[in-house]
Amino acid sequence: MASELDADLNAAMDALTAPGGPLETSSLHRFGHDLPVMKQAPPHLPALFDHFCAQHGDLPFLVDGDVRLTFAQVHALAREAASGLIVRHSVRQGDRVGIAARNSASWIVAYMAVLMAGGCATLLNGWWTAEEMAGAITLAECKLILADAPRAARIAALRHDAALVTFGHGDPRTGLEALMGTSEALLPTLTPDDLASILFTSGSTGLCKGAASDHRGVVHGTMSYAAQTLMTFKYLSDRGEAPTGQPCALVAVPLFHVTGEVVLLLQSFVLGRKLVLLEKWDAAEAMRQIEAERVTYFVGVPLMSFEIARHPDRGRYDLSSCVTFAAGGAPRPVDHVHAIRKALPHAYPILGYGLTETNGVGCGNFNQNYMAKPGSTGPASRPLVEVAILDDAGAALPQGQTGEVAIRSIANFTGYWRNPEATAAAMTADGFFRSGDLGYLDPDGYLFIVDRKKDIIIRGGENIAASEVEAALYGHPGIAEASVFGLPDERLGEVPVAVFVARPGADLTDADLRAFLETHLAPFKIPVRFWRETASLPRLGTEKVDKRALKARFAAQWLQP
């Protein structure tokens, strides 16, 4: 049966979405259906920036080392940088502008400026190799790349048609000097249907795909998350337990991922939330910042909150301000849920489920409900999201049966850039995005993910297509056969491993294969272990390698101390 908390949260959402409420909904006809939209949602991202930066004005917004900026200051800097993009670099409406850099205040100002100038924010994975960067830049047909020095050096050596501007971190006034100091340009008039962003994802083929979204989709992805936060706030307010003071979040995930972009950055405009940026993940530094900045909300891949919970120095820091430890991007082991709650009894772990193609929205499991059903990602997020379980033909399955998880909402992406075949394969005719995850819905509507249909490994929140790693291995002249799959890892969730057969006369070592792969793949994609076989790998009736049998066989060896 649904919990008392579910009933209270639903009542809170009913009040918020009622006529005249802040989240009142109407409908928009898409995919042959009337889909819910929020009546008061801004029409596009620059309008969202304008409205909420004015509303929150002098509140602190960004903390990046010694740099501290208010909402009003960040907006003014982004407006100036947008003029620079238009005047100095001839960015026009719809141009793809790549951003390749680590998290910083300059990254955020550059992102806002691209959108305010009418460009499409094309978020390049900062961990990619030069080869992977080149593929994404070419695929998206980027006109301009904004990159920090390490990525700029990598990109400068590539063959592509994009212009390159290098920026620095620290204070955006100096970091983005190449965009600043221009007379104020007239900004373009945008519509909800204009292209807003391209984020990259590895599909089961291993080929990089650009998930393109219009402004309507990204704005509603943002508003969907804000709706969950406002629902929780109203629930607490009704109980006299509403938090006071400005909310504050620690940014420990890359902004080029949908969690960093939508859940953290864009939602913070709506909430008036301060963001504290970490240069790189370090659990001790995260705890220091939580104490120093009175962080109230933490989100990361599951291993991050677990590392805080089990850190030997946890007792040295005052973490009492942080009442929520959220996770997404990968499954969180059930025992981690209880360990976090035990180690941090003042806080609750929560879990979200969404994908790049859904602008991060999908399901959420909160507080006591998560403790009661720690294996579930929760029910579909109201008021925008619909979740269905589909069979291979795309027909909906009854409650309780396992099939492919599919999500429909106005926040769904518009398709894969210049890839209509992949778009058609991922979307049903009536607008559901097929996630590639296998799961079922329980009688309360809670989603349980049980497996992945796609051959994807999720290492610490980073998607790795096994076929991409296999293709790279087959590029080595000494490899006759290879198979790559994921095996469990307590810290990262799972990690890639490889089994291979060498060609006659080839004397291959693990070091040889790692050195070869380092020239073709980002470090996180390289298998952490290689097993060499002398006989041919087992095959299915289709002549494909029997990966399930290999995985079962080597899992026993993997778990041995």
Side-chain angles (χ1 to χ4, degrees):
M1 295 293 293
S3 72
E4 181 179 343
L5 177 59
D6 275 320
D8 290 342
L9 290 175
N10 281 327
M13 184 61 79
D14 287 342
L16 291 167
T17 56
L23 303 179
E24 181 182 355
T25 59
S26 58
S27 64
L28 183 71
H29 196 74
R30 297 191 86 177
F31 311 117
H33 289 264
D34 291 329
L35 301 184
V37 294
M38 293 188 185
K39 289 184 69 173
Q40 298 183 47
H44 44 71
L45 288 167
L48 183 146
F49 301 150
D50 294 347
H51 176 78
F52 289 108
C53 284
Q55 179 175 311
H56 303 308
D58 293 333
L59 283 177
F61 180 26
L62 301 183
V63 178
D64 182 10
D66 294 333
V67 176
R68 306 181 81 90
L69 297 167
T70 67
F71 280 89
Q73 288 170 328
V74 170
H75 187 269
L77 289 169
R79 178 65 178 85
E80 186 176 353
S83 292
L85 287 170
I86 293 169
V87 175
R88 291 188 180 183
H89 302 284
S90 302
V91 169
R92 297 295 179 261
Q93 196 164 341
D95 285 345
R96 272 75 63 205
V97 179
I99 304 176
R102 70 165 174 83
N103 291 355
S104 68
S106 291
W107 192 106
I108 290 170
V109 171
Y111 170 87
M112 294 172 63
V114 169
L115 292 160
M116 292 166 75
C120 167
T122 305
L123 307 187
L124 302 171
N125 189 318
W127 298 329
W128 276 340
T129 64
E131 189 175 311
E132 292 166 316
M133 287 272 193
I137 291 168
T138 301
L139 172 65
E141 305 162 293
C142 289
K143 178 175 185 174
L144 179 69
I145 305 296
L146 307 176
D148 61 8
R151 281 85 182 173
R154 203 180 308 164
I155 293 167
L158 305 177
R159 294 184 61 184
H160 56 80
D161 296 328
L164 177 63
V165 171
T166 304
F167 69 82
H169 300 301
D171 192 329
R173 296 174 184 88
T174 54
L176 294 171
E177 186 177 5
L179 306 181
M180 298 301 190
T182 308
S183 59
E184 191 167 285
L186 181 66
L187 299 184
T189 301
L190 299 177
T191 74
D193 297 308
D194 279 312
L195 184 64
S197 67
I198 295 178
L199 278 66
F200 295 91
T201 181
S202 292
S204 57
T205 63
L207 299 175
C208 176
K209 294 186 293 189
S213 293
D214 58 21
H215 281 270
R216 181 186 291 107
V218 183
V219 166
H220 276 84
T222 302
M223 297 305 294
S224 178
Y225 270 96
Q228 311 316 303
T229 303
L230 292 173
M231 172 185 70
T232 305
F233 183 84
K234 177 164 176 43
Y235 161 75
L236 293 173
S237 295
D238 292 344
R239 295 165 57 91
E241 300 172 2
T244 58
Q246 184 185 11
C248 176
L250 194 67
V251 182
V253 296
L255 291 166
F256 57 72
H257 280 177
V258 72
T259 300
E261 182 208 18
V262 174
V263 183
L264 272 173
L265 174 58
L266 292 176
Q267 187 188 184
S268 294
F269 285 97
V270 182
L271 303 179
R273 183 169 63 186
K274 181 174 72 173
L275 294 177
V276 180
L277 286 84
L278 287 183
E279 181 175 340
K280 61 180 180 179
W281 171 247
D282 178 86
E285 177 61 14
M287 291 188 290
R288 190 186 74 79
Q289 293 284 11
I290 290 172
E291 178 181 67
E293 298 291 342
R294 306 305 293 161
V295 169
T296 60
Y297 175 84
F298 177 88
V299 62
V301 296
L303 72 94
M304 290 178 174
S305 49
F306 187 61
E307 282 189 2
I308 290 174
R310 69 176 184 177
H311 199 282
D313 295 333
R314 186 186 71 251
R316 294 175 51 192
Y317 300 93
D318 178 5
L319 307 180
S320 60
S321 63
C322 193
V323 296
T324 301
F325 286 84
R332 181 186 254 161
V334 170
D335 58 334
H336 286 198
V337 179
H338 297 294
I340 293 167
R341 178 65 172 155
K342 183 177 180 181
L344 302 162
H346 68 281
Y348 274 104
I350 68 173
L351 185 69
Y353 172 75
L355 301 102
T356 301
E357 293 89 344
T358 67
N359 277 295
V361 305
C363 301
N365 202 354
F366 303 102
N367 295 13
Q368 299 98 320
N369 287 352
Y370 190 28
M371 303 308 300
K373 297 185 180 186
S376 173
T377 63
S381 297
R382 294 183 60 200
L384 300 181
V385 181
E386 183 180 356
V387 172
I389 305 298
L390 307 180
D391 63 17
D392 288 341
L397 291 170
Q399 179 268 314
Q401 289 194 21
T402 297
E404 186 171 7
V405 179
I407 294 173
R408 180 168 64 190
S409 88
I410 201 68
N412 277 3
F413 76 146
T414 57
Y416 295 112
W417 184 257
R418 304 288 195 237
N419 196 338
E421 295 82 8
T423 302
M427 297 293 294
T428 66
D430 54 355
F432 278 99
F433 172 72
R434 305 187 69 142
S435 70
D437 292 323
L438 298 177
Y440 67 90
L441 294 168
D442 77 359
D444 297 324
Y446 276 61
L447 176 65
F448 288 76
I449 305 294
V450 299
D451 204 349
R452 280 193 298 281
K453 189 173 182 180
K454 297 176 182 176
D455 196 9
I456 294 289
I457 302 159
I458 303 181
R459 175 180 180 165
E462 287 289 333
N463 282 9
I464 303 168
S467 58
E468 179 185 13
V469 184
E470 289 167 353
L473 275 171
Y474 276 115
H476 192 292
I479 292 289
E481 296 181 57
S483 182
V484 174
F485 46 89
L487 287 177
D489 180 86
E490 183 182 45
R491 179 171 175 269
L492 296 169
E494 62 180 344
V495 291
V497 300
V499 180
F500 71 94
V501 177
R503 293 187 182 278
D507 185 17
L508 295 179
T509 66
D510 290 8
D512 294 332
L513 293 175
R514 286 195 179 91
F516 175 77
L517 291 177
E518 283 171 357
T519 65
H520 299 283
L521 299 174
F524 69 87
K525 298 179 183 178
I526 297 174
V528 301
R529 186 164 176 180
F530 297 87
W531 282 286
R532 180 169 180 166
E533 291 285 276
T534 55
S536 183
L537 300 182
R539 302 277 169 172
L540 298 167
T542 58
E543 287 306 304
K544 292 183 178 180
V545 171
D546 188 350
K547 193 168 290 191
R548 188 179 294 271
L550 282 175
K551 188 171 183 176
R553 176 180 158 198
F554 285 98
Q557 297 183 41
W558 175 249
L559 294 173
Q560 289 176 358

